[in-house]
Amino acid sequence: MNKAQKWLSFFALSMTGGIIFQVAYIRFVYLEPTYTALNLSQQYGNIISAFGAVAIVMYFFGGWFSDKFSPKLLIVISLAGMGIADLYLATVPGFWGIVAAHILMAVVGMGLYWSALVKSISMLGDSDEQGRLFGFLEGTRGIVSTAIGFIGTAIVSASVVPAHGVLTLIRIYGVLSFVFAAVVLLVVREDRTRLAGLGSAAVTLKQLLAAARNRYTWLIGGTAMLMYCFYTTLGYFSPLLQDNYGVSASMIAVIGVVRSYVFQFVAGPAGGVVVDKVTRSSAVFLRWMFAGGAVLAALFLVLPRTASLAWLALVMMFVLCALVFASRGVYWSTVGEVEVPEQERGGVIGLASGLAYLPDAFLPSLCAWWIGDSSASPKVPEQGGGYSALFVFLLVAALLGLVMTTLTARTRRRELAARDTAPVVERVLAGV
């Protein structure tokens, strides 16, 4: 593979990341228009939770699939499968049809696509190029998602009924998935020799059992899970701004794109720079992020919900987005920072990831129950405390995150102190 083929393959693969999950996570931009278009209300939260539960299970199978089959072929199949799910969903097939579409999205997205993408990107460079490749991967995904997001906003805004615009958008994403499947099939080159040298990506039961005995598995996984609670709930700020602060529906779509995609390629790299240059510790940096999240959750809890304060609510939400996306780019770096042994990293990351993404299996249903649906007929009221319950939940998550990151930092300091002390003790004993 020459240099031109390498970078052509890289950009083709990276751009698929900005396409394939658009419909699966469309709620982050168009929550209310989507469940209206699909003739759902509270049920949409339950369907998203089912998607999250299947996605968590599929995550553990992804490495096995990428070891057994060609990553390029898996990516092509994943894109085609996602295209089928998207186009089927756009027919509004009823409750169980929508459930089936979301299960297919989870299988092809997490089971087939993600590990195959990581492996494909890995074999495009040497060991000293990996950081650059994955940094550009995230940046390219963010840029493509942002561009497509703004185009989608224009389509939905131009529609007389936003729900009809969302269905059109879902069809477009489905067609684009097929287009990119063809692009990957025709453009991407696969280096069989380098692929064979990458080693296994599957996580074995033995590795998971070893990871369960490692304290950092629970500290890292718990920290990521608590921050992921913030990420999962970001989509529910749209009805808050629209129904409680009077922000227009057209502005909500633009805000959703900025919130979901722009911060992805701005705040993520910025978080990594701050860790490298300022805190020198991801645990310390994450402690700052949780402290900020706690303050913002408390402010949202007491802020009067009136149209005159919409600008303040919007600023607070964007600051929270910056904290969340800066954290997402950092929390897995803790694995290398605390020097988890190479042979244990697969198990630690696998088990910690299962913990990290657990909120996807229950939080959408819980949030849907809390916030209700004022646009439904008959109207579904807020339940169980409404948005106040949501912000109390986030405040508790932030405080627990402070505890987890503090424990991680202290554990690491003690290990380093013990390591520094050991040679001194050995010399003293030798002298005796």
Side-chain angles (χ1 to χ4, degrees):
M1 188 187 304
N2 59 40
K3 193 172 182 179
Q5 290 174 327
K6 167 185 168 179
W7 286 109
L8 190 59
S9 296
F10 171 81
F11 284 113
L13 291 168
S14 298
M15 290 176 72
T16 66
I19 296 291
I20 192 168
F21 294 116
Q22 289 288 340
V23 176
Y25 292 100
I26 198 170
R27 70 185 187 277
F28 284 105
V29 182
Y30 307 104
L31 177 63
E32 187 175 316
T34 300
Y35 64 65
T36 301
L38 297 176
N39 296 325
L40 301 169
S41 182
Q42 301 297 95
Q43 295 170 313
Y44 188 51
N46 297 331
I47 291 171
I48 294 302
S49 290
F51 165 84
V54 175
I56 290 169
V57 175
M58 286 297 105
Y59 177 87
F60 291 101
F61 288 96
W64 183 86
F65 280 117
S66 68
D67 285 347
K68 295 294 182 182
F69 304 99
S70 159
K72 173 184 171 179
L73 179 61
L74 289 176
I75 292 170
V76 171
I77 292 172
S78 301
L79 287 162
M82 195 66 79
I84 291 170
D86 293 350
L87 294 176
Y88 178 63
L89 190 65
T91 67
V92 193
F95 177 79
W96 290 110
I98 296 169
V99 171
H102 280 79
I103 289 175
L104 178 59
M105 290 178 190
V107 171
V108 300
M110 305 305 176
L112 303 185
Y113 174 80
W114 187 247
S115 290
L117 178 68
V118 170
K119 203 157 192 175
S120 294
I121 295 295
S122 296
M123 70 180 182
L124 291 176
D126 297 323
S127 59
D128 59 348
E129 296 179 278
Q130 296 299 305
R132 205 180 335 153
L133 284 171
F134 281 97
F136 280 122
L137 167 65
E138 192 66 18
T140 305
R141 289 177 62 208
I143 291 169
V144 172
S145 296
T146 301
I148 291 176
F150 279 121
I151 293 171
T153 298
I155 292 171
V156 175
S157 298
S159 302
V160 176
V161 180
H164 294 169
V166 166
L167 290 178
T168 300
L169 195 56
I170 291 174
R171 294 186 190 101
I172 291 172
Y173 289 146
V175 171
L176 284 175
S177 291
F178 281 110
V179 169
F180 274 91
V183 168
V184 170
L185 186 62
L186 297 173
V187 169
V188 172
R189 297 290 182 267
E190 200 167 65
D191 188 331
R192 296 287 181 177
T193 303
R194 186 180 290 275
L195 180 61
L198 288 177
S200 175
V203 179
T204 66
L205 179 60
K206 182 178 179 181
Q207 287 176 310
L208 290 176
L209 292 174
R213 295 191 294 269
N214 189 319
R215 72 186 77 180
Y216 284 118
T217 300
W218 306 101
L219 290 171
I220 294 170
T223 298
M225 178 185 69
L226 293 165
M227 187 56 74
Y228 198 72
C229 287
F230 280 87
Y231 175 73
T232 303
T233 57
L234 287 178
Y236 297 93
F237 281 74
S238 291
L240 171 69
L241 293 171
Q242 185 172 348
D243 299 334
N244 290 265
Y245 289 98
V247 179
S248 67
S250 58
M251 184 58 68
I252 287 294
V254 175
I255 291 168
V257 172
V258 173
R259 180 184 60 215
S260 302
Y261 305 132
V262 173
F263 282 98
Q264 180 181 13
F265 68 84
V266 174
V273 171
V274 173
V275 169
D276 288 344
K277 303 295 184 181
V278 181
T279 67
R280 307 288 183 179
S281 166
S282 55
V284 172
F285 174 78
L286 289 168
R287 187 164 57 192
W288 289 5
M289 299 300 99
F290 278 118
V295 171
L296 289 165
L299 288 174
F300 268 115
L301 192 59
V302 300
L303 185 70
R305 293 169 196 165
T306 63
S308 61
L309 293 175
W311 65 272
L312 182 56
L314 189 58
V315 169
M316 288 164 52
M317 185 199 69
F318 281 148
V319 173
L320 184 61
C321 288
L323 299 181
V324 171
F325 279 97
S327 300
R328 288 187 73 202
V330 166
Y331 46 60
W332 295 119
S333 66
T334 309
V335 175
E337 186 179 293
V338 300
E339 297 179 291
V340 173
E342 289 284 348
Q343 67 273 19
E344 296 180 20
R345 288 189 183 184
V348 169
I349 293 174
L351 185 53
S353 295
L355 291 172
Y357 303 120
L358 192 59
D360 265 346
F362 70 90
L363 202 46
S365 293
L366 191 57
C367 287
W369 183 69
W370 277 332
I371 69 173
D373 182 8
S374 60
S375 66
S377 182
K379 176 180 177 181
V380 180
E382 292 184 357
Q383 302 173 76
Y387 280 103
S388 295
L390 173 60
F391 293 126
V392 168
F393 175 84
L394 292 179
L395 178 58
V396 172
L399 295 176
L400 289 174
L402 284 170
V403 173
M404 297 292 278
T405 50
T406 299
L407 286 173
T408 303
R410 287 182 178 177
T411 300
R412 183 58 180 163
R413 280 199 301 268
R414 288 171 183 166
E415 287 180 349
L416 293 175
R419 183 187 301 175
D420 293 339
T421 304
V424 176
V425 173
E426 289 174 0
R427 286 197 298 270
V428 171
L429 291 175
V432 172

